[in-house]
Amino acid sequence: MLIVMKADATDVQVEAVVRVIEGLGYKAHPMPGASRTAIGITGNPGAIDPSHFENLAGVAEAVRIIAGPCAVESRRQAFAVAEVVRRSGARFFRGGAFKPRTSPYAFQGLGEEGLKILADIRETYGLKIVSEALDEPGVDLVERYADMIQIGARSMQNFTLLRRVGKSSLPVLLKRGLSATLDEWLLAAEYIMAEGNYQVVLCERGIRTFSQHTRNTLDLAAIPAVRRISHLPVIVDPSHGTGKNFMVTPLARAAVAVGADGLIVEVHDSPNDALSDGAQALTLDQYERLVSEVRAIHEVIAPAPVG
Ligand code: PEP
Ligand code: MN
């Protein structure tokens, strides 16, 4: 594992990281570079949980990963996935309790019961919980149990809903609408901020095009485009962005390389049995591999802090 320090990290901060590594019983190898220092770790028998280092002063922020099943289906399923999400070093667990399904006959989510399971996951694993609200009463419920409110692609222009989450004290994950331009997406974010809630994270999740080889067309060019005109963090959802299991990891790698601030990835302990979005869900093993790959990519492209 390689820990990349911020460009302005001090020698004292580098030494502090070295002490933590040695305290874990491993060897630390500081490698001063032209603009920043990296610290190699050896002597570890297996993967190291990056959460040991992420919060230390001077460490460049690790890529944020929000992971979980499309929907909370049962306590057993949600906990099986959460266990692996925690182990991967991710901080956020996302599971839908209210699902916006194309067909009214499809599984609609467990509702408040699902939110209670998510709150138990927070209690057990210390993960922050993200869950979608479809309407204003749903926001009241999600606020009671979760740490972040997801506004789904289909709700991106539900302006009364945007105003409602704008009055919330929780951060909002705002997914791009299925056919939204960049301006429409950013104006949707402004609906939220105009009510006083500035904690908005944008999420590119693919748009409708004529292409048929993917469920949606993941618009990775949106990432540098957003970063040029907005201060808001922008993350990428390669799961809905492709709809296909075998494409999720390659597009997750690309998303990190193109400068996304984070990823949201759907994971299931048994994708074939999933009640929603099984075709795009990663298995637990695939998810763990994805995390180590994108962290490695992030370490080499992590931009110097601005300002
Ligand atoms: C989801 O996150 O499971 C979901 C329904 O996403 P989207 O709103 O992007 O379709
Ligand atoms: Mn989904």
Side-chain angles (χ1 to χ4, degrees):
M1 183 182 193
L2 198 66
I3 296 176
V4 179
M5 303 298 291
K6 290 180 182 166
D8 59 358
T10 63
D11 289 349
V12 173
Q13 289 170 340
V14 172
E15 276 161 32
V17 174
V18 168
R19 275 200 302 279
V20 171
I21 295 168
E22 291 174 349
L24 291 165
Y26 311 139
K27 274 201 152 71
H29 307 273
M31 296 175 269
S35 61
R36 59 179 72 213
T37 295
I39 306 170
I41 304 178
T42 58
N44 47 306
I48 302 173
D49 182 350
S51 62
H52 288 302
F53 311 104
E54 278 173 358
N55 289 333
L56 298 179
V59 173
E61 199 187 17
V63 58
R64 292 283 171 223
I65 300 177
I66 300 175
C70 181
V72 176
E73 299 169 4
S74 68
R75 180 170 292 270
R76 190 210 57 74
Q77 168 250 15
F79 270 75
V81 178
E83 168 92 39
V84 173
V85 169
R86 180 67 200 104
R87 188 164 10 116
S88 75
R91 300 288 180 76
F92 295 85
F93 186 78
R94 203 295 309 259
F98 300 100
K99 294 306 303 177
R101 304 306 300 280
T102 302
S103 163
Y105 309 113
F107 176 60
Q108 304 284 311
L110 296 180
E112 187 168 5
E113 190 195 332
L115 290 172
K116 287 183 177 161
I117 294 171
L118 290 169
D120 289 347
I121 284 174
R122 174 177 43 207
E123 189 69 25
T124 307
Y125 297 106
L127 289 161
K128 302 264 187 225
I129 300 300
V130 186
S131 203
E132 177 164 356
L134 294 176
D135 52 23
E136 292 165 78
V139 177
D140 295 341
L141 278 171
V142 171
E143 276 179 330
R144 204 171 305 154
Y145 296 99
D147 301 290
M148 184 178 209
I149 307 165
Q150 176 174 321
I151 297 297
R154 290 155 192 80
S155 302
M156 191 207 81
Q157 285 189 313
N158 180 338
F159 299 118
T160 47
L161 185 60
L162 296 178
R163 285 206 171 97
R164 169 64 186 86
V165 296
K167 294 189 174 74
S168 178
S169 59
L170 293 185
V172 177
L173 180 64
L174 178 65
K175 297 191 99 178
R176 181 178 180 183
L178 278 76
S179 62
T181 64
L182 228 56
D183 285 348
E184 289 164 344
W185 188 17
L186 292 172
L187 286 168
E190 295 212 16
Y191 264 93
I192 300 170
M193 293 188 285
E195 299 297 326
N197 187 350
Y198 298 101
Q199 303 179 89
V200 179
V201 175
L202 301 168
C203 176
E204 162 61 39
R205 48 78 70 205
I207 48 173
R208 278 279 165 88
T209 70
F210 55 80
S211 288
Q212 291 174 327
H213 56 284
T214 51
R215 178 181 181 185
N216 295 292
T217 298
L218 189 61
D219 179 13
L220 289 181
I223 308 308
V226 166
R227 291 182 72 125
R228 170 171 275 215
I229 57 174
S230 170
H231 70 290
L232 294 173
V234 57
I235 71 170
V236 169
D237 172 353
S239 305
H240 295 87
T242 63
K244 294 182 200 274
N245 171 289
F246 78 98
M247 291 186 180
V248 172
T249 297
L251 271 295
R253 294 186 199 118
V256 172
V258 86
D261 295 298
L263 294 171
I264 178 165
V265 182
E266 290 193 345
V267 190
H268 200 285
D269 63 316
S270 179
N272 289 339
D273 300 316
L275 298 181
S276 61
D277 287 351
Q280 68 196 32
L282 294 188
T283 64
L284 301 176
D285 283 354
Q286 288 171 332
Y287 167 70
E288 290 197 284
R289 217 168 309 135
L290 174 148
V291 172
S292 67
E293 289 182 14
V294 298
R295 283 197 199 285
I297 292 170
H298 188 259
E299 279 165 9
V300 286
I301 58 104
V306 179

